[in-house]
């Protein structure tokens, strides 16, 4: 009689026990469309202008991302959609994301530390001569 009670107690314990959520980033955290809002480095913060606020960074299922650039028209009549960049992305350890803008035969890899606070995504890049941050707002 002791074994069935012990097994029942263990099963019940498993039902009410949960694991701590891993805060290193999960697929649900970074997925989605983000609009560019600011750039910051050692010299200060620069808010996005009317056109660069239209820039979009999309992290998609299947570890694909794309970036849509916008710039001011030289004629001064508004913003123009510019080039698109795309590539693959993967989560890495310590809240980092690996972005590969290249092709299979010619990789162009950048690693950024990411953090999400509310609806703001911050990507921090370190290219060896100082760090800079790009901030995005979830759409």
């Amino acid at each position: 009689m002791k074994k069935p009670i012990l097994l029942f107690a263990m099963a019940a314990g498993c039902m009410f026990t949960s694991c701590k959520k891993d805060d290193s980033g999960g697929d649900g955290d970074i997925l989605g469309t983000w609009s560019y809002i600011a750039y910051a480095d050692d010299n200060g913060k620069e808010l996005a202008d009317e056109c660069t606020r239209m820039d979009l960074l999309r992290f998609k299922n299947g570890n694909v991302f794309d970036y849509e650039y916008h710039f001011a028209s030289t004629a001064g009549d508004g913003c123009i959609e510019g080039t698109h960049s795309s590539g693959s992305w993967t989560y890495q350890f310590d809240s980092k994301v690996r972005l590969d803008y290249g092709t299979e035969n010619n990789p162009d890899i950048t690693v950024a530390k990411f953090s999400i606070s509310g609806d703001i995504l911050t990507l921090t890049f370190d290219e060896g001569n100082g760090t800079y941050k790009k901030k995005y707002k979830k759409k």
Side-chain angles (χ1 to χ4, degrees), residues 56-131:
L56 298 174
L57 174 59
R58 295 180 194 94
F59 288 98
K60 301 176 181 181
N61 286 319
N63 293 78
V64 175
F65 77 91
D66 67 56
Y67 198 96
E68 181 180 310
Y69 295 92
H70 296 82
F71 59 92
S73 165
T74 55
D77 58 350
C79 303
I80 298 172
E81 184 176 321
T83 60
H84 288 245
S85 294
S86 63
S88 62
W89 66 273
T90 53
Y91 285 114
Q92 294 193 315
F93 64 93
D94 197 24
S95 297
K96 292 182 182 175
V97 63
R98 178 183 182 264
L99 306 170
D100 186 351
Y101 292 86
T103 61
E104 186 175 334
N105 296 327
N106 190 20
D108 182 7
I109 298 169
T110 301
V111 175
K113 187 164 181 90
F114 78 93
S115 64
I116 299 172
S117 178
D119 63 349
I120 303 297
L121 166 66
T122 302
L123 296 176
T124 304
F125 299 89
D126 184 354
E127 296 180 344
N129 56 352
T131 61

Side-chain angles (χ1 to χ4, degrees), residues 24-44:
S24 63
D27 289 341
D29 292 339
I30 205 167
L31 287 177
T33 301
W34 303 85
S35 58
Y36 179 73
I37 58 171
Y39 172 90
D41 62 15
D42 295 337
N43 297 322

